[in-house]
Amino acid sequence: MAQKKGQRGATSVAADDSEVVARVPLQAVLLADSFNLKFRPITLERPKVLLPLANVPMIEYTLAWLDSVGVEEVFVFCCSHSQQVKDYLKESEWMKPSSRFSITTIESHDAISAGDALRVIYEKSVIRGDFVLISGDTISNMNLTQALHEHKERRKKDPLAVMTMIIKHSKPSNLTHQTRLGTDELLMAIDPQTKELMFYEDKVNPSQRIISIDKALLANNTWVYLHNDKQDCYIDICSPEVLSLFMDNFDYQHLRRHFVKGLLVDDIMGYKIFTHEIHSSYAARIDNFRSYGTISKDILQRWAYPLVPDFEYFGISSKVKLDRQGVYKAPDVVQSRSARIGAITLIGSGTTIGNHTVISNSVVGRDCIIGNNVCIDGCYIWDNVIIEDDCRLNHAIVCDGVHLSAGVVLEPGVILSFKVEVGRLITIPAYSKVSLRPQPSIQDSDEELEYADASSAVIESPSITSMVSNRNAESTPNYSAHEVDISGVGYIWSTYEGEHEEEWRHSIAPIPEAKLAELSHAYHEEPDLPYLDMNDFLVSGELKPDSESTGFDDGDGGEYGDSADFDKEVEATFHRALTGVNQETVILEINSLRLSCNKSHADCAGALFFSVMELGLEAPHSSNSELYQNIAKEINKWKDLLKHYLKSVDEEIEVILKFEEICLETATGLAPLFSIILSYLYEKDLLSEDAILSWASEKEGADESDKIFVKQSESFITWLKEASEEEDEDNGDE
């Protein structure tokens, strides 16, 4: 938490008088417009920054972070739906006298890009020093102190160092060439000594397998690292010169594609951009529907702490309580006794849930009415939604005021915008987008154009009713028309040429199994060539075997971050199995993760074992005996899934090592039970005699502190050795 206003950034007594006089408050520019089309049709009616994320408007997370890092003045730039943004801020806690920073809104109806927005900011002459540039759809819990200090120190030595970009480790999938946020693979060349950014490419064509780099890149640098495993957090520390540069060049529209790339190739002015990599902190931007789902899950799984549903940080948040298995519920939720709430789920205030309804892996907003025998998995249900009996919702977004009549089915990837009504027994096909607004005819490929005017030309879109009428005319239903209400209110938006095939890339739904299988097949069919392996290139671009002057690098702490991300992804996938997803699907998804993260079966085995042990730990227990029973129950339940990744001694040893790690670091209460659980794993054929004896043998030369569990299991290990010797003798007698 930041200090009170007036205490922030207080200059030490030892500071020079000139520094005291020169001190300016830390300022921030928050862009409340994303300047892209990716959240249509929803953003035709409400600005993206006011869309709920875990039942809290996105902009609240950004403002909360700015408050925590000591920002004193925030300038919120509004363009699309500017009045909604201004009205929201006016009534928010941030505009009250008790707020620890000031907010000033700056409005423009002419800006169509981030570049235009920054030119307007420049003309207002409000920025007096270094400032934080961020968009209102960014979530972070990082401490900015070190990055800000590095930026200021560089500026003292080199006035041309105008910007510091925050980045973090994020390895893209080898299959999709996307990150877990649904963003494209990013290539960055960074000087390993100075952290200066030398090259930036966010539009990599994976099919080409090579990239062109200007040989002048290394003219003044002996070597740089080329990374394909970094995520741009879209948090920048900028000098005032950045605004001047936008004024001097009206071609700068997009922050990265135009401005950053433009500075990197400008040999005349010599301005420089640097990077600051975070490791244990969280920072991510909601760029598309997939990242919306991913970041929502991250918040529920507390990776963005303290920005979590049960933390009283937001003035508008209710008293949400955290239960076991990551279930959050407001105290006034009315839940039928027969209803089940699964893992990683949030239920908002005033919502009622009917008999035999199952909700898992989802967020449900405030004042929703959910009927009987409803199944909701992986969905985001916003406020005041009515879902009648027997509905099935699978990985969909349902906006405020939507009404689903009985028996409605939403297939994966469906988006229902505000106040859409769907009649009885209607199935909305996968990836459909439905809105009360007809689809605008303007679909510019340039991301700078966000929202079409409501009065602009529209595409003739089918309504829900006409879709169902046509479907019924082509088939022979087993019920008469008057028995089923097929009415609905809303237009089904069509996809433009070439878009349908790519819907899965940015969808809220998981990538379809068939698509994963197709990508996996294509991946293994490709020639065995290193993708973008810059180890083979000289400065001139000529091939040079054995050169180590450039190459991919994980950076400091990269291996840890990679492993942590992988374990988290496996855990989330495993939790889906708890909600009824079949094990074959879970195995397919974990295999895809394994390929995309370049992990082994042993890594999968360790991550899965950790998830299973967590279930046993979370179950109620008041003694070691009860804890053991809980653990044994979960191991027995999931042994077949674990066995799929325990096909060699090495993989079994990885599980034992993971078990040691859990007992020492994560759940020390398990330590006294190590030997008995080890024996149980052997009994259930999850661990072999060879694996346990090899593990014990490897520990013989270790420090005493590393032999704790070997000694605890000494009697069991001795028994295994004796049994093995007896078996050898018997075989010898034969």
Side-chain angles (χ1 to χ4, degrees):
M1 301 289 287
Q3 298 168 315
K4 293 287 185 182
K5 190 186 289 186
Q7 295 177 334
R8 297 182 175 191
T11 311
S12 65
V13 177
D16 294 334
D17 291 342
S18 59
E19 290 184 0
V20 176
V21 173
R23 179 192 174 273
V24 295
L26 180 58
Q27 298 174 299
V29 172
L30 187 157
L31 301 179
D33 198 317
S34 58
F35 302 107
N36 66 50
L37 303 163
K38 294 177 183 177
F39 272 75
R40 278 187 171 186
I42 299 173
T43 44
L44 284 177
E45 300 180 63
R46 184 183 296 179
K48 182 181 174 185
V49 296
L50 296 187
L51 302 184
L53 181 71
N55 289 346
V56 174
M58 292 182 193
I59 197 172
E60 288 285 341
Y61 293 91
T62 311
L63 291 171
W65 177 73
L66 292 174
D67 175 56
S68 72
V69 299
V71 169
E72 297 178 65
E73 296 180 4
V74 180
F75 298 95
V76 179
F77 180 84
C78 311
C79 182
S80 174
H81 305 299
S82 58
Q83 193 58 47
Q84 288 188 44
V85 176
K86 292 195 300 183
D87 289 346
Y88 176 84
L89 291 174
K90 183 178 179 181
E91 299 299 321
S92 73
E93 296 291 320
W94 306 108
M95 298 291 273
K96 294 183 178 179
S98 58
S99 174
R100 296 184 298 187
F101 57 43
S102 64
I103 291 182
T104 303
T105 57
I106 296 176
E107 184 178 8
S108 172
H109 296 291
D110 300 321
I112 61 169
S113 70
D116 288 344
L118 294 181
R119 283 183 276 273
V120 172
I121 297 290
Y122 175 85
E123 291 172 346
K124 298 293 183 181
S125 301
V126 292
I127 298 300
R128 304 190 296 280
D130 293 333
F131 65 98
V132 178
L133 177 60
I134 191 170
S135 60
D137 50 10
T138 303
I139 290 80
S140 180
N141 62 3
M142 71 169 287
N143 188 321
L144 198 63
T145 303
Q146 183 62 31
L148 196 59
H149 174 75
E150 291 174 2
H151 176 81
K152 290 182 178 295
E153 289 302 307
R154 274 194 293 263
R155 290 278 294 161
K156 290 178 181 178
K157 300 173 184 177
D158 185 358
L160 296 177
V162 295
M163 191 164 93
T164 300
M165 293 169 47
I166 307 300
I167 62 174
K168 68 175 298 185
H169 182 273
S170 181
K171 193 173 182 67
S173 165
N174 288 337
L175 300 182
T176 64
H177 300 287
Q178 287 185 307
T179 69
R180 59 191 294 269
L181 297 176
T183 53
D184 293 332
E185 184 173 21
L186 173 65
L187 289 179
M188 305 174 78
I190 300 173
D191 187 308
Q193 302 299 324
T194 65
K195 306 304 179 186
E196 181 180 356
L197 181 67
M198 312 297 294
F199 176 82
Y200 186 100
E201 180 55 66
D202 60 349
K203 291 294 181 183
V204 179
N205 185 349
S207 63
Q208 292 185 351
R209 301 179 63 83
I210 60 172
I211 57 171
S212 299
I213 296 180
D214 191 337
K215 63 182 181 181
L217 175 65
L218 298 180
N220 300 315
N221 300 273
T222 55
W223 55 298
V224 297
Y225 280 139
L226 182 65
H227 304 265
N228 75 332
D229 58 356
K230 303 301 179 189
Q231 170 191 319
D232 188 344
C233 300
Y234 286 90
I235 298 173
D236 302 323
I237 303 171
C238 304
S239 70
E241 285 86 346
V242 167
L243 298 179
S244 302
L245 289 169
F246 273 94
M247 282 301 297
D248 293 341
N249 194 331
F250 277 78
D251 290 334
Y252 289 163
Q253 299 291 333
H254 194 280
L255 285 175
R256 296 298 189 253
R257 205 169 308 135
H258 300 150
F259 176 70
V260 168
K261 289 184 179 181
L263 289 194
L264 294 180
V265 299
D266 187 347
D267 297 329
I268 299 175
M269 302 301 293
Y271 288 110
K272 301 173 184 177
I273 299 173
F274 291 82
T275 62
H276 175 86
E277 184 171 0
I278 58 175
H279 299 292
S280 58
S281 301
Y282 188 87
R285 183 188 179 195
I286 301 170
D287 177 71
N288 52 64
F289 288 122
R290 185 172 300 283
S291 56
Y292 176 86
T294 300
I295 294 171
S296 295
K297 296 298 189 300
D298 288 347
I299 290 171
L300 296 189
Q301 295 182 77
R302 309 181 79 76
W303 292 100
Y305 187 87
L307 304 181
V308 292
D310 60 320
F311 192 81
E312 285 298 321
Y313 199 99
F314 308 110
I316 62 172
S317 65
S318 59
K319 303 283 185 179
V320 174
K321 301 294 183 183
L322 173 61
D323 203 348
R324 64 190 185 92
Q325 290 194 1
V327 175
Y328 300 82
K329 281 199 308 184
D332 58 349
V333 169
V334 179
Q335 177 184 343
S336 167
R337 289 189 176 183
S338 60
R340 290 193 294 115
I341 309 298
I344 317 176
T345 298
L346 167 62
I347 310 294
S349 175
T351 288
T352 62
I353 304 170
N355 297 323
H356 305 293
T357 285
V358 178
I359 304 175
S360 60
N361 206 31
S362 300
V363 174
V364 179
R366 300 172 182 83
D367 300 315
C368 295
I369 301 173
I370 301 175
N372 303 321
N373 196 33
V374 173
C375 181
I376 299 174
D377 179 36
C379 294
Y380 301 90
I381 314 296
W382 295 358
D383 296 343
N384 300 297
V385 172
I386 298 174
I387 303 175
E388 295 184 10
D389 299 348
D390 302 311
C391 290
R392 299 288 181 268
L393 287 70
N394 187 0
H395 293 92
I397 293 179
V398 180
C399 298
D400 295 357
V402 168
H403 186 161
L404 304 183
S405 299
V408 166
V409 175
L410 302 186
E411 294 185 346
V414 167
I415 308 295
L416 300 185
S417 195
F418 301 97
K419 298 183 179 179
V420 165
E421 297 179 15
V422 183
R424 293 185 62 215
L425 299 178
I426 291 178
T427 295
I428 304 296
Y431 306 123
S432 296
K433 297 177 181 178
V434 186
S435 174
L436 295 186
R437 299 283 187 93
Q439 186 174 6
S441 61
I442 299 174
Q443 178 74 6
D444 200 310
S445 60
D446 190 341
E447 290 185 2
E448 317 311 323
L449 299 177
E450 163 72 282
Y451 305 103
D453 188 277
S455 61
S456 63
V458 298
I459 293 175
E460 186 174 347
S461 304
S463 68
I464 296 175
T465 302
S466 65
M467 177 196 73
V468 179
S469 298
N470 292 337
R471 183 192 66 190
N472 290 342
E474 296 170 359
S475 61
T476 305
N478 56 8
Y479 48 80
S480 59
H482 69 273
E483 292 176 326
V484 180
D485 178 11
I486 61 170
S487 64
V489 180
Y491 294 96
I492 301 175
W493 283 30
S494 61
T495 54
Y496 291 87
E497 184 177 356
E499 280 189 348
H500 185 73
E501 175 61 23
E502 299 298 308
E503 284 287 343
W504 59 270
R505 287 189 173 274
H506 299 138
S507 171
I508 199 75
I511 299 174
E513 295 178 24
K515 177 57 69 174
L516 284 175
E518 175 189 329
L519 293 171
S520 180
H521 177 74
Y523 176 78
H524 291 293
E525 287 290 313
E526 288 180 354
D528 187 17
L529 294 173
Y531 174 61
L532 297 178
D533 189 351
M534 296 306 295
N535 287 333
D536 294 334
F537 290 89
L538 285 169
V539 178
S540 64
E542 297 173 355
L543 291 174
K544 178 187 177 185
D546 305 324
S547 171
E548 296 182 356
S549 60
T550 64
F552 292 130
D553 181 75
D554 287 343
D556 295 336
E559 183 178 347
Y560 170 80
D562 193 12
S563 298
D565 285 344
F566 178 74
D567 288 352
K568 179 171 64 173
E569 291 286 355
V570 171
E571 182 182 2
T573 302
F574 174 71
H575 275 292
R576 294 189 64 233
L578 302 178
T579 65
V581 176
N582 64 69
Q583 290 193 15
E584 289 76 12
T585 300
V586 172
I587 289 170
L588 182 63
E589 292 184 4
I590 291 176
N591 286 342
S592 173
L593 286 172
R594 178 176 62 82
L595 290 171
S596 66
C597 296
N598 196 25
K599 295 294 183 179
S600 66
H601 277 86
D603 295 318
C604 296
L608 262 179
F609 180 75
F610 178 79
S611 300
V612 171
M613 296 296 282
E614 268 196 327
L615 286 182
L617 286 164
E618 290 172 352
H621 58 272
S622 57
S623 65
N624 282 345
S625 176
E626 289 182 1
L627 176 58
Y628 170 72
Q629 291 174 8
N630 292 342
I631 295 291
K633 177 183 175 182
E634 297 300 336
I635 290 173
N636 191 55
K637 181 177 180 181
W638 299 105
K639 63 182 180 181
D640 290 338
L641 182 59
L642 285 167
K643 280 182 180 179
H644 187 83
Y645 294 98
L646 294 174
K647 296 180 179 179
S648 72
V649 170
D650 288 342
E651 289 153 7
E652 293 173 13
I653 292 175
E654 177 65 25
V655 163
I656 302 175
L657 296 175
K658 177 65 75 171
F659 190 16
E660 283 189 292
E661 179 186 320
I662 293 170
C663 292
L664 289 172
E665 300 177 9
T666 309
T668 54
L670 270 179
L673 300 176
F674 183 91
S675 61
I676 189 173
I677 293 176
L678 186 71
S679 176
Y680 186 78
L681 291 168
Y682 172 76
E683 177 187 332
K684 292 297 178 181
D685 294 326
L686 290 168
L687 296 180
S688 66
E689 174 186 300
D690 289 344
I692 296 171
L693 294 180
S694 296
W695 163 72
S697 176
E698 290 174 5
K699 295 282 186 177
E700 287 178 1
D703 296 336
E704 290 301 312
S705 59
D706 202 26
K707 295 182 181 179
I708 297 172
F709 298 115
V710 173
K711 289 184 175 181
Q712 186 190 126
S713 309
E714 191 169 1
S715 60
F716 175 55
I717 293 170
T718 301
W719 177 81
L720 285 178
K721 288 180 178 178
E722 291 174 352
S724 178
E725 290 170 359
E726 290 176 5
E727 184 178 348
D728 290 342
E729 289 175 3
D730 292 341
N731 291 336
D733 292 340
E734 293 177 2

